[in-house]
């Protein structure tokens, strides 16, 4: 698949999982990519793989958990080249019952999964508004819509992201900016191996990051007069 004119996408959390698969899918569609995560070491091989497709790829080391700095860092990335598509994908998994969730953990989850997205958007939106066009895709989760025990803080962060997406869509429509929230069920990524996640699901039944990346690309490439407000994508094997 190819696009008529050169576009540039900024993808957060592009060093692994859904973000990495999205970077590769976008590159194959001829879209230049700006890749963000905490680690240049992890981003560099992704950048190299993307570059093989012939598009321009650039890596940026940003800790999105430092929310007070995020807006400025995003503005700096946009100075390297206009961002047509912003994919807010970086995030963390977190499991614990609400009674076992310390306030500091709660704040960490909300900061990264929700507040950093708000600030990424605030960094990129002004330049999209100036050009009167742009697509913002936020990676939420099925847990935003469905309660699962042990996933309280995470669910709240992802439900907040849907509310953020809906409000932004209403406010920015008149400026030519489209907003999409994607809600995947379980995806087989490193998220399930992280120290903050304790869950024992059958990973072979999960979605793959490549499948989710195709949905993200589809939302990004829709003709300008159409928008996917919200897209839920689930493993067909069952409620994961
Ligand atoms: P991964 O753990 O594979 O990827 C997470 C990405 O986020 C990595 O690139 C990581 O990069 C980056 N990241 C983490 N913390 C920070 C930070 N503080 N600053 C900058 N970047 C950071 O997870 P997934 O691909 O599964 O998750 C991607 C998104 O999809 C998340 O928002 C997740 O909540 C959501 N999601 C995942 C599902 C799943 O089942 N896996 C289901 C539904 C939604 P680095 O370590 O290099 O900083």
């Amino acid at each position: 698949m190819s696009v008529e004119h050169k576009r540039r996408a900024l993808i957060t959390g592009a060093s692994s999982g859904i973000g990495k698969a999205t970077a590769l899918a976008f590159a194959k569609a001829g879209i230049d990519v700006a890749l963000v995560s905490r680690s240049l070491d992890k981003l560099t091989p992704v950048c190299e793989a993307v570059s093989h497709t012939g598009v321009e790829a650039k890596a940026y080391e940003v800790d999105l958990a430092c929310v007070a700095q995020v807006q400025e860092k995003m503005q700096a990335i946009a100075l390297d080249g206009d961002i047509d598509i912003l994919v807010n994908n970086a995030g963390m998994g977190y499991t614990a019952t609400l009674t076992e969730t310390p306030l500091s953990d709660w704040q960490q989850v909300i900061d990264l999964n929700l507040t950093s997205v708000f600030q990424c958007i605030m960094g990129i939106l002004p330049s999209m508004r100036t050009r009167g066009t742009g697509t913002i895709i936020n990676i939420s989760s099925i847990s935003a819509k469905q309660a699962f025990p042990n996933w309280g803080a995470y669910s709240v962060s992802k439900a907040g992201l849907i509310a953020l997406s809906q409000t932004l869509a209403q406010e920015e429509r008149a400026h030519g900016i489209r907003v999409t929230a994607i809600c995947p069920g379980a995806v087989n990524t490193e998220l399930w191996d992280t120290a903050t996640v304790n869950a024992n699901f059958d990973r072979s039944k999960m979605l793959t990051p490549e499948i989710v990346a195709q949905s993200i690309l589809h939302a990004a490439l829709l003709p300008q007069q159409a928008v996917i407000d919200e897209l839920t994508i689930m493993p067909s094997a069952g409620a994961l």
Side-chain angles (χ1 to χ4, degrees), residues 4-203:
E4 308 87 13
H5 65 272
K6 203 73 180 155
R7 291 186 237 190
R8 186 170 190 243
L10 191 165
I11 302 164
T12 69
S15 62
S16 76
I18 297 167
K20 177 179 170 182
T22 303
L24 288 162
F26 275 34
K28 281 185 193 143
I31 301 169
D32 291 339
V33 288
L35 308 178
V36 170
S37 91
R38 287 167 299 185
S39 160
L40 273 187
D41 282 352
K42 282 170 71 182
L43 284 173
T44 301
V46 184
C47 244
E48 282 167 7
V50 163
S51 300
H52 285 139
T53 64
V55 303
E56 205 174 279
K58 221 167 160 183
Y60 300 87
E61 195 173 82
V62 181
D63 186 351
L64 296 168
C66 302
V67 290
Q69 298 166 15
V70 167
Q71 182 176 359
E72 203 179 306
K73 300 239 161 129
M74 294 300 124
Q75 277 165 346
I77 295 172
L79 288 178
D80 285 349
D82 287 336
I83 303 298
D84 304 292
I85 305 155
L86 170 62
V87 182
N88 289 305
N89 163 77
M92 63 182 287
Y94 183 85
T95 54
T97 62
L98 287 170
T99 57
E100 286 165 346
T101 302
L103 177 60
S104 57
D105 284 9
W106 174 276
Q107 283 169 331
Q108 195 191 347
V109 175
I110 302 294
D111 269 357
L112 181 61
N113 289 6
L114 181 57
T115 310
S116 87
V117 177
F118 169 47
Q119 289 302 290
C120 283
I121 293 166
M122 290 306 116
I124 300 300
L125 197 61
S127 62
M128 286 184 168
R129 270 192 173 195
T130 303
R131 286 175 290 122
T133 184
T135 302
I136 297 173
I137 301 173
N138 297 324
I139 310 307
S140 180
S141 161
I142 187 63
S143 67
K145 302 157 154 291
Q146 206 176 314
F148 298 97
N150 299 315
W151 290 85
Y154 182 80
S155 292
V156 169
S157 71
K158 293 298 188 181
L161 197 46
I162 293 200
L164 173 66
S165 304
Q166 290 174 344
T167 310
L168 190 71
Q170 297 282 356
E171 291 179 355
E172 297 306 319
R173 203 181 299 281
H175 300 281
I177 294 161
R178 305 185 293 181
V179 183
T180 298
I182 308 249
C183 300
V187 190
N188 189 5
T189 68
E190 288 171 27
L191 178 139
W192 297 94
D193 303 317
T194 51
T196 51
V197 174
N198 182 10
N200 198 13
F201 288 172
D202 181 350
R203 291 174 69 154

